[in-house]
């Protein structure tokens, strides 16, 4: 259960929940659940993006108090600033991923699943899935459709 006031505990819980989802989503049996899963993932990505931005800002605000293990304050400051830059980049990439999941969620809403076919195919789809996303930076070519 989220604490909403202990970021270390909540981060560990989020990692645990995502690991559980990674295992559980291998064997999706209810095709209609994919819509709810995508919605929850989009919401989670938005929260992850916010957390990364907040951690970047924290590193920037506290860079003046940073030092290395051997007491080098200049290197500590530099490390804090670099960490902030990497966190901002990560937040940007997560924002991009969130947009893509939102697009997938939108497309998913227009699907009426054939439940009999989905159950038999779900065992074979997981190995073929990565080929469909081989070019993640050019989604228009990937799915051949405008958004």
């Amino acid at each position: 259960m989220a604490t909403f006031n202990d970021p270390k505990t909540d981060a560990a819980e989020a990692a645990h929940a995502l690991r559980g989802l990674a295992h559980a989503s291998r064997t999706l049996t209810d095709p209609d659940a994919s819509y709810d899963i995508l919605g929850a993932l989009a919401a989670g990505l938005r929260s992850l993006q916010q957390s990364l931005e907040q951690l970047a800002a924290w590193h920037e605000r506290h860079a003046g108090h940073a030092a290395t293990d051997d007491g080098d304050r200049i290197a500590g400051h530099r490390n804090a600033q670099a960490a902030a830059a990497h966190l901002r980049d990560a937040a940007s990439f997560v924002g991009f991923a969130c947009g893509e999941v939102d697009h997938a969620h939108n497309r998913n809403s227009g699907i009426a699943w054939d439940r009999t076919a989905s159950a038999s195919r779900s065992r074979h789809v997981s190995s073929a899935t990565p080929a469909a996303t081989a070019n993640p930076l050019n989604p228009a070519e990937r799915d051949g459709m405008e958004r």
Side-chain angles (χ1 to χ4, degrees):
M1 182 67 66
T3 68
F4 295 95
N5 60 13
D6 181 351
K8 183 178 175 182
T9 298
D10 289 344
E13 184 176 329
H16 185 70
L18 288 170
R19 183 171 182 249
L21 175 60
H23 286 277
S25 61
R26 292 180 302 173
T27 57
L28 183 64
T29 57
D30 177 8
D32 293 333
S34 63
Y35 180 81
D36 293 329
I37 294 167
L38 289 171
L41 283 171
L45 286 170
R46 282 188 287 278
S47 293
L48 176 59
Q49 181 182 16
Q50 180 181 357
S51 294
L52 291 168
E53 290 167 350
Q54 290 170 174
L55 284 167
W58 183 90
H59 276 80
E60 290 167 346
R61 282 192 314 273
H62 293 86
H65 304 285
T68 61
D69 287 340
D70 63 355
D72 185 339
R73 295 185 63 79
I74 293 171
H77 185 272
R78 205 171 25 241
N79 286 342
Q81 292 295 329
H86 287 295
L87 289 164
R88 291 215 183 275
D89 287 347
S92 178
F93 289 128
V94 170
F96 176 80
C98 185
E100 291 300 297
V101 173
D102 281 338
H103 289 303
H105 188 230
N106 187 7
R107 294 289 184 164
N108 182 277
S109 71
I111 300 170
W113 296 102
D114 178 354
R115 292 177 175 277
T116 58
S118 295
S120 65
R121 285 190 203 135
S122 66
R123 287 180 234 114
H124 305 290
V125 171
S126 62
S127 63
T129 301
T133 59
N135 189 358
L137 297 181
N138 195 344
E141 285 182 14
R142 180 181 64 230
D143 64 15
M145 304 180 94
E146 293 295 319
R147 293 184 204 199

